[in-house]
Each structure stands twice: as C-alpha cells, then as structure tokens.
Amino acid sequence: MSDLIFITGATGNVGAEIVRQLSEGDHHVRVAQRNLKPSSNWSPSLTVEYVNFDFQQPQTFAKAFQGVKRVFLMRPPALSQVKTYMYPAIDSAIASGVEQIVFLSVLGAESNPIIPHAKVEKYIQSVGIPYTFLRASFFMQNLSTTHRQDIQERNEIFLPAGKGKTSFIDVRDIAAVAVKALTESGHSDRAYSLTGSEALDYYQVAEIFTEVLIQPVLYKNPSILKFAISMYKRGLEPQFIAVMIGIYTTAKLGLAGKLTTDTQEILQRAPISMRQFVEDYRDCWGVKPTS
Ligand SMILES: NC(=O)c1ccc[n+]([C@@H]2O[C@H](COP(=O)([O-])OP(=O)(O)OC[C@H]3O[C@@H](n4cnc5c(N)ncnc54)[C@H](OP(=O)(O)O)[C@@H]3O)[C@@H](O)[C@H]2O)c1
C-alpha cells in the first residue's frame, strides 16, 4: 500500500475531484470532514478513511495527521486569518511527520504578498517542509456553481469583468496535477502556475455556452455597484462580494489572462478547454447531456 495521503477541503471543488481521481488508483487516502457529517459528494463504495478535521478546532489536527506522509492543503475561502487557522495546522502536520504539503494557491501569488495564499506559501517555505504550490487560475467550475443560476434561469452571465480575458482552468486538471504531486516524485519545492490553454473574455465564454447549450446565453457586464447590489440582494456575504469584485476587476484590468504551459507539461496533454467543460457539465444548467 502506498503512503497515506490526507486531503483537506475534500468536499470542495478541487478536493472532491482529487479524492475521486485518487480513488481510481491503489492509494491510501484519508479525507477531512467537519464533524464527520455525511457529505453528498461521497459514494458509499469509496475506499477512503474519514476523519474529523476543522481548521478552527486545533484539537482535531493530531488525529487527522497521524501516520500521514503527504497532505493536500487548501485554504477555505472564509478563513482569511491564516496565521490563526492555517499556520497551526501546518505546524501540526510537521510535528506528525508529514513529508510534503501540496498547497492550493492562486495564480500570481508570488507577486501579491498581501493575499492570504502568499502568506501561507511563505510560511510553508519558512518552516522548511517540502512543498508543491499549485497556483491556479480562475476555475471554470465557478460558472457551474456561483454563476449557475444566472445561466440556467436567466440565460446570462452576470459579472463585472468588462472585456478582460481570463485564463480559465478546469478543476479536473488542477486535481490531476495535485494527484501527480501527491503520488509521484520530482515535485518537491516546486511552484506550478496552472492555467488552461486559452484566455477568453466573457463575451467569448457566452458564445461558447450559446453554441454548446444551443440556447442564447448573454454576457451582461454590469457596473461594480449594480453587481454588488444584486449579489447583496441575493443574500451573499459582503466579504464574499468584495472578493468577487476584486477578482473581476483584476480580469477587467487585463491582469487575469496570463497563460502558462505548466498544466500541459505536467499532464502531458492539452488542458481541458472551455468548450469541453460546458459539454461535460451541460446538465448543471438544466440541459440534458448529449449521448
Ligand atoms: N474559485 C477559483 O476560481 C479559485 C482559483 C484559484 C484558487 N482558489 C482557491 O481555492 C480555494 C477553494 O478551493 P475549493 O473551491 O476547492 O473549495 P470550496 O469548494 O470553496 O470548498 C471549501 C472547502 O473547505 C472546507 N472547509 C470550510 N471551512 C473549513 C474549516 N473550518 N475547517 C476545515 N475545512 C473547512 C469545506 O468543508 P465543508 O464541507 O465542511 O464546509 C470545503 O471542503 C480557496 O483558497 C480559493 O482562494 C479558487
């Protein structure tokens, strides 16, 4: 049996996909759950261990990391105080003998020291544990989660990114890179900038949706104020709205379109395209999959 691998954020976009991909191979996997509450993400036939793990409850750390060799670490979006919630978990992992941390970071973290991910990267480097940083671009899956309802019910993509381009990546590709980093040698002390192979603006994204779903999907490009009010009325937390505005303003300013070849080089294949993503997820927007 291979080394024990521990997955945090295992019910989230990337973590759940890592677990799914690891469970297809002969791997020894432990997944983090909060209060061991049942999660709809898991099939009962999945051969993984479950452990209670909560960044806000340090008493859960030691048992979760016991016997673990490699960790997939992510920062829950709501936890911006990384010194309080992430550093103690990293310390505990090291004290338990963990030999490598694969951390889900964000594209450009190396040149943006104030973001929480950059602080976590710096801390991991400072404590000297072998690491792999996955600096991921904007997830395609934001369109099947955060923006799903707009697309399904109003046939529109409603966000303030102007004509700026984004180098979207599919979380299945991020997970595939994570699986390699967690199960192969040669990824220690490396930082990968993970993007798809095309940078698209949201007019182009809407065009792809229109073609694949065979129904018109329009890109609405609201002002930041209109977007903020609309999100607030939908009940989104002001902190989350501020983060979204920051992300879409970055795109609007033309700073989210950087393309790299890391994904392609590590996976030895082209990254999943936006068109493929929409095809694969079409039932998310209420459109039946093609046979
Ligand atoms: N969205 C993007 O485009 C994008 C791009 C680059 C990087 N990122 C980064 O990716 C990360 C988010 O990853 P994701 O989208 O895969 O996750 P996600 O879907 O947002 O899910 C959050 C995960 O964190 C877990 N969690 C929440 N609070 C926790 C706590 N106190 N202790 C332990 N676990 C907790 C949740 O578990 P429960 O089920 O128990 O709630 C869930 O598994 C963020 O750091 C974000 O900045 C996002």
Side-chain angles (χ1 to χ4, degrees):
M1 183 62 89
S2 54
D3 290 345
L4 179 56
I5 301 168
F6 180 54
I7 310 295
T8 65
T11 59
N13 291 304
V14 180
E17 181 59 22
I18 293 174
V19 174
R20 194 192 64 74
Q21 293 186 21
L22 281 173
S23 68
E24 286 172 355
D26 181 26
H27 299 295
H28 188 186
V29 182
R30 180 180 291 164
V31 303
Q33 277 197 277
R34 282 195 287 174
N35 307 314
L36 290 179
K37 63 175 192 240
S39 167
S40 56
N41 285 26
W42 308 122
S43 127
S45 60
L46 209 59
T47 51
V48 296
E49 291 176 23
Y50 301 86
V51 70
N52 188 22
F53 177 85
D54 190 330
F55 286 108
Q56 293 175 287
Q57 293 185 24
Q59 68 275 19
T60 62
F61 297 167
K63 192 173 172 206
F65 289 123
Q66 197 177 12
V68 171
K69 286 283 180 265
R70 301 181 190 215
V71 171
F72 171 74
L73 182 73
M74 54 79 65
R75 179 191 72 90
L79 300 186
S80 47
Q81 291 168 297
V82 293
K83 192 174 172 188
T84 307
Y85 299 119
M86 304 286 297
Y87 296 4
I90 293 164
D91 293 343
S92 178
I94 295 167
S96 301
V98 168
E99 293 172 3
Q100 184 200 9
I101 291 178
V102 176
F103 174 59
L104 177 60
S105 187
V106 296
L107 193 64
E110 68 279 17
S111 49
N112 199 348
I114 60 159
I115 60 171
H117 306 78
K119 292 177 189 164
V120 174
E121 284 192 6
K122 202 170 162 206
Y123 188 71
I124 290 172
Q125 285 174 317
S126 76
V127 292
I129 185 168
Y131 65 85
T132 313
F133 297 151
L134 309 181
R135 294 177 179 150
S137 186
F138 192 78
F139 302 168
M140 292 179 187
Q141 277 74 1
N142 294 322
L143 296 161
S144 57
T145 54
T146 313
H147 300 291
R148 184 195 62 76
Q149 210 176 344
D150 285 336
I151 296 170
Q152 181 170 350
E153 293 175 7
R154 288 176 281 281
N155 288 332
E156 63 184 36
I157 298 172
F158 183 84
L159 48 88
K163 293 178 186 164
K165 289 187 189 291
T166 297
S167 55
F168 296 93
I169 184 162
D170 190 303
V171 299
R172 293 172 292 181
D173 283 344
I174 303 171
V177 173
V179 166
K180 282 188 170 285
L182 290 163
T183 59
E184 293 177 353
S185 57
H187 299 283
S188 274
D189 298 342
R190 306 289 297 271
Y192 298 128
S193 294
L194 302 178
T195 74
S197 55
E198 53 187 354
L200 302 168
D201 65 40
Y202 284 92
Y203 292 102
Q204 293 170 303
V205 173
E207 215 172 285
I208 292 170
F209 269 80
T210 300
E211 286 168 14
V212 175
L213 303 185
I214 320 177
Q215 60 191 42
V217 174
L218 281 180
Y219 170 44
K220 299 280 171 152
N221 178 20
S223 67
I224 286 172
L225 184 63
K226 195 171 173 190
F227 177 75
I229 292 170
S230 176
M231 293 301 120
Y232 187 72
K233 280 186 182 161
R234 287 185 203 177
L236 266 63
E237 293 289 331
Q239 195 196 347
F240 185 58
I241 298 171
V243 170
M244 287 170 87
I245 289 172
I247 288 168
Y248 294 125
T249 303
T250 305
K252 191 172 189 163
L253 294 172
L255 303 172
K258 177 185 163 185
L259 288 171
T260 70
T261 53
D262 287 6
T263 314
Q264 166 119 23
E265 281 164 19
I266 298 161
L267 299 182
Q268 295 286 296
R269 61 161 173 79
I272 296 168
S273 67
M274 178 62 78
R275 186 171 293 274
Q276 188 64 53
F277 160 72
V278 183
E279 279 286 357
D280 294 345
Y281 281 71
R282 55 194 294 147
D283 54 333
C284 266
W285 304 286
V287 178
K288 292 275 161 276
T290 47
S291 53

PDB file of all heavy atoms in Angstrom, residues 149-164:
ATOM      1  N   GLN A 149     -26.989  29.621 -11.507  1.00  0.00           N
ATOM      2  CA  GLN A 149     -28.396  30.033 -11.525  1.00  0.00           C
ATOM      3  C   GLN A 149     -28.659  31.105 -12.593  1.00  0.00           C
ATOM      4  O   GLN A 149     -29.675  31.051 -13.295  1.00  0.00           O
ATOM      5  CB  GLN A 149     -28.758  30.583 -10.155  1.00  0.00           C
ATOM      6  CG  GLN A 149     -30.200  30.365  -9.799  1.00  0.00           C
ATOM      7  CD  GLN A 149     -30.502  30.846  -8.391  1.00  0.00           C
ATOM      8  OE1 GLN A 149     -29.583  31.071  -7.594  1.00  0.00           O
ATOM      9  NE2 GLN A 149     -31.764  31.008  -8.082  1.00  0.00           N
ATOM     10  N   ASP A 150     -27.754  32.074 -12.718  1.00  0.00           N
ATOM     11  CA  ASP A 150     -27.913  33.127 -13.735  1.00  0.00           C
ATOM     12  C   ASP A 150     -27.997  32.513 -15.130  1.00  0.00           C
ATOM     13  O   ASP A 150     -28.799  32.923 -15.967  1.00  0.00           O
ATOM     14  CB  ASP A 150     -26.717  34.092 -13.724  1.00  0.00           C
ATOM     15  CG  ASP A 150     -26.756  35.032 -12.540  1.00  0.00           C
ATOM     16  OD1 ASP A 150     -27.853  35.261 -12.016  1.00  0.00           O
ATOM     17  OD2 ASP A 150     -25.681  35.520 -12.152  1.00  0.00           O
ATOM     18  N   ILE A 151     -27.122  31.543 -15.363  1.00  0.00           N
ATOM     19  CA  ILE A 151     -27.069  30.931 -16.694  1.00  0.00           C
ATOM     20  C   ILE A 151     -28.317  30.085 -16.929  1.00  0.00           C
ATOM     21  O   ILE A 151     -28.961  30.175 -17.982  1.00  0.00           O
ATOM     22  CB  ILE A 151     -25.774  30.086 -16.843  1.00  0.00           C
ATOM     23  CG1 ILE A 151     -24.553  30.995 -16.748  1.00  0.00           C
ATOM     24  CG2 ILE A 151     -25.782  29.304 -18.160  1.00  0.00           C
ATOM     25  CD1 ILE A 151     -23.217  30.280 -16.647  1.00  0.00           C
ATOM     26  N   GLN A 152     -28.695  29.297 -15.912  1.00  0.00           N
ATOM     27  CA  GLN A 152     -29.836  28.387 -16.094  1.00  0.00           C
ATOM     28  C   GLN A 152     -31.169  29.137 -16.155  1.00  0.00           C
ATOM     29  O   GLN A 152     -32.015  28.839 -17.001  1.00  0.00           O
ATOM     30  CB  GLN A 152     -29.876  27.365 -14.960  1.00  0.00           C
ATOM     31  CG  GLN A 152     -31.033  26.382 -15.130  1.00  0.00           C
ATOM     32  CD  GLN A 152     -30.952  25.223 -14.149  1.00  0.00           C
ATOM     33  OE1 GLN A 152     -29.952  25.049 -13.466  1.00  0.00           O
ATOM     34  NE2 GLN A 152     -31.999  24.431 -14.104  1.00  0.00           N
ATOM     35  N   GLU A 153     -31.356  30.124 -15.266  1.00  0.00           N
ATOM     36  CA  GLU A 153     -32.690  30.739 -15.151  1.00  0.00           C
ATOM     37  C   GLU A 153     -32.854  31.992 -15.991  1.00  0.00           C
ATOM     38  O   GLU A 153     -33.951  32.325 -16.408  1.00  0.00           O
ATOM     39  CB  GLU A 153     -32.983  31.057 -13.675  1.00  0.00           C
ATOM     40  CG  GLU A 153     -33.125  29.781 -12.861  1.00  0.00           C
ATOM     41  CD  GLU A 153     -33.303  30.051 -11.370  1.00  0.00           C
ATOM     42  OE1 GLU A 153     -33.448  31.222 -10.983  1.00  0.00           O
ATOM     43  OE2 GLU A 153     -33.275  29.068 -10.615  1.00  0.00           O
ATOM     44  N   ARG A 154     -31.745  32.733 -16.212  1.00  0.00           N
ATOM     45  CA  ARG A 154     -31.872  33.995 -16.951  1.00  0.00           C
ATOM     46  C   ARG A 154     -31.088  34.014 -18.248  1.00  0.00           C
ATOM     47  O   ARG A 154     -31.011  35.032 -18.926  1.00  0.00           O
ATOM     48  CB  ARG A 154     -31.436  35.160 -16.050  1.00  0.00           C
ATOM     49  CG  ARG A 154     -32.440  35.462 -14.943  1.00  0.00           C
ATOM     50  CD  ARG A 154     -31.958  36.553 -14.010  1.00  0.00           C
ATOM     51  NE  ARG A 154     -30.986  36.038 -13.055  1.00  0.00           N
ATOM     52  CZ  ARG A 154     -31.303  35.338 -11.961  1.00  0.00           C
ATOM     53  NH1 ARG A 154     -32.564  35.099 -11.671  1.00  0.00           N
ATOM     54  NH2 ARG A 154     -30.385  34.888 -11.138  1.00  0.00           N
ATOM     55  N   ASN A 155     -30.433  32.902 -18.551  1.00  0.00           N
ATOM     56  CA  ASN A 155     -29.616  32.802 -19.771  1.00  0.00           C
ATOM     57  C   ASN A 155     -28.581  33.917 -19.847  1.00  0.00           C
ATOM     58  O   ASN A 155     -28.349  34.491 -20.907  1.00  0.00           O
ATOM     59  CB  ASN A 155     -30.484  32.838 -21.032  1.00  0.00           C
ATOM     60  CG  ASN A 155     -31.266  31.559 -21.200  1.00  0.00           C
ATOM     61  OD1 ASN A 155     -30.834  30.497 -20.738  1.00  0.00           O
ATOM     62  ND2 ASN A 155     -32.423  31.646 -21.831  1.00  0.00           N
ATOM     63  N   GLU A 156     -27.990  34.236 -18.698  1.00  0.00           N
ATOM     64  CA  GLU A 156     -26.981  35.299 -18.727  1.00  0.00           C
ATOM     65  C   GLU A 156     -25.824  35.011 -17.777  1.00  0.00           C
ATOM     66  O   GLU A 156     -25.969  34.305 -16.777  1.00  0.00           O
ATOM     67  CB  GLU A 156     -27.619  36.652 -18.406  1.00  0.00           C
ATOM     68  CG  GLU A 156     -28.210  36.736 -17.016  1.00  0.00           C
ATOM     69  CD  GLU A 156     -28.935  38.061 -16.765  1.00  0.00           C
ATOM     70  OE1 GLU A 156     -29.562  38.593 -17.695  1.00  0.00           O
ATOM     71  OE2 GLU A 156     -28.857  38.551 -15.619  1.00  0.00           O
ATOM     72  N   ILE A 157     -24.685  35.574 -18.143  1.00  0.00           N
ATOM     73  CA  ILE A 157     -23.513  35.553 -17.258  1.00  0.00           C
ATOM     74  C   ILE A 157     -23.412  36.978 -16.730  1.00  0.00           C
ATOM     75  O   ILE A 157     -23.210  37.921 -17.498  1.00  0.00           O
ATOM     76  CB  ILE A 157     -22.237  35.148 -18.027  1.00  0.00           C
ATOM     77  CG1 ILE A 157     -22.390  33.728 -18.599  1.00  0.00           C
ATOM     78  CG2 ILE A 157     -21.014  35.234 -17.120  1.00  0.00           C
ATOM     79  CD1 ILE A 157     -21.260  33.300 -19.534  1.00  0.00           C
ATOM     80  N   PHE A 158     -23.613  37.122 -15.425  1.00  0.00           N
ATOM     81  CA  PHE A 158     -23.766  38.448 -14.830  1.00  0.00           C
ATOM     82  C   PHE A 158     -22.582  38.717 -13.901  1.00  0.00           C
ATOM     83  O   PHE A 158     -22.544  38.260 -12.757  1.00  0.00           O
ATOM     84  CB  PHE A 158     -25.092  38.478 -14.055  1.00  0.00           C
ATOM     85  CG  PHE A 158     -25.428  39.814 -13.440  1.00  0.00           C
ATOM     86  CD1 PHE A 158     -26.044  40.805 -14.187  1.00  0.00           C
ATOM     87  CD2 PHE A 158     -25.128  40.071 -12.102  1.00  0.00           C
ATOM     88  CE1 PHE A 158     -26.361  42.036 -13.610  1.00  0.00           C
ATOM     89  CE2 PHE A 158     -25.437  41.295 -11.523  1.00  0.00           C
ATOM     90  CZ  PHE A 158     -26.055  42.280 -12.275  1.00  0.00           C
ATOM     91  N   LEU A 159     -21.564  39.412 -14.409  1.00  0.00           N
ATOM     92  CA  LEU A 159     -20.404  39.750 -13.577  1.00  0.00           C
ATOM     93  C   LEU A 159     -19.642  40.908 -14.238  1.00  0.00           C
ATOM     94  O   LEU A 159     -19.683  41.079 -15.457  1.00  0.00           O
ATOM     95  CB  LEU A 159     -19.520  38.520 -13.361  1.00  0.00           C
ATOM     96  CG  LEU A 159     -19.138  37.679 -14.585  1.00  0.00           C
ATOM     97  CD1 LEU A 159     -17.888  38.223 -15.221  1.00  0.00           C
ATOM     98  CD2 LEU A 159     -18.926  36.238 -14.181  1.00  0.00           C
ATOM     99  N   PRO A 160     -18.936  41.684 -13.415  1.00  0.00           N
ATOM    100  CA  PRO A 160     -18.327  42.924 -13.925  1.00  0.00           C
ATOM    101  C   PRO A 160     -16.874  42.771 -14.359  1.00  0.00           C
ATOM    102  O   PRO A 160     -15.989  43.398 -13.778  1.00  0.00           O
ATOM    103  CB  PRO A 160     -18.439  43.860 -12.717  1.00  0.00           C
ATOM    104  CG  PRO A 160     -18.297  42.954 -11.538  1.00  0.00           C
ATOM    105  CD  PRO A 160     -18.844  41.602 -11.935  1.00  0.00           C
ATOM    106  N   ALA A 161     -16.636  41.982 -15.398  1.00  0.00           N
ATOM    107  CA  ALA A 161     -15.238  41.767 -15.835  1.00  0.00           C
ATOM    108  C   ALA A 161     -14.915  42.509 -17.126  1.00  0.00           C
ATOM    109  O   ALA A 161     -13.834  42.286 -17.699  1.00  0.00           O
ATOM    110  CB  ALA A 161     -14.964  40.271 -15.983  1.00  0.00           C
ATOM    111  N   GLY A 162     -15.820  43.358 -17.599  1.00  0.00           N
ATOM    112  CA  GLY A 162     -15.548  44.125 -18.818  1.00  0.00           C
ATOM    113  C   GLY A 162     -15.184  43.211 -19.980  1.00  0.00           C
ATOM    114  O   GLY A 162     -15.781  42.150 -20.160  1.00  0.00           O
ATOM    115  N   LYS A 163     -14.186  43.646 -20.743  1.00  0.00           N
ATOM    116  CA  LYS A 163     -13.736  42.827 -21.868  1.00  0.00           C
ATOM    117  C   LYS A 163     -12.444  42.084 -21.545  1.00  0.00           C
ATOM    118  O   LYS A 163     -11.754  41.582 -22.428  1.00  0.00           O
ATOM    119  CB  LYS A 163     -13.501  43.728 -23.089  1.00  0.00           C
ATOM    120  CG  LYS A 163     -14.769  44.339 -23.629  1.00  0.00           C
ATOM    121  CD  LYS A 163     -14.446  45.245 -24.803  1.00  0.00           C
ATOM    122  CE  LYS A 163     -15.705  45.975 -25.271  1.00  0.00           C
ATOM    123  NZ  LYS A 163     -15.418  47.113 -26.132  1.00  0.00           N
ATOM    124  N   GLY A 164     -12.112  42.069 -20.253  1.00  0.00           N
ATOM    125  CA  GLY A 164     -10.850  41.444 -19.842  1.00  0.00           C
ATOM    126  C   GLY A 164     -10.860  39.935 -20.038  1.00  0.00           C
ATOM    127  O   GLY A 164     -11.901  39.292 -19.914  1.00  0.00           O
TER     128      GLY A 164
END
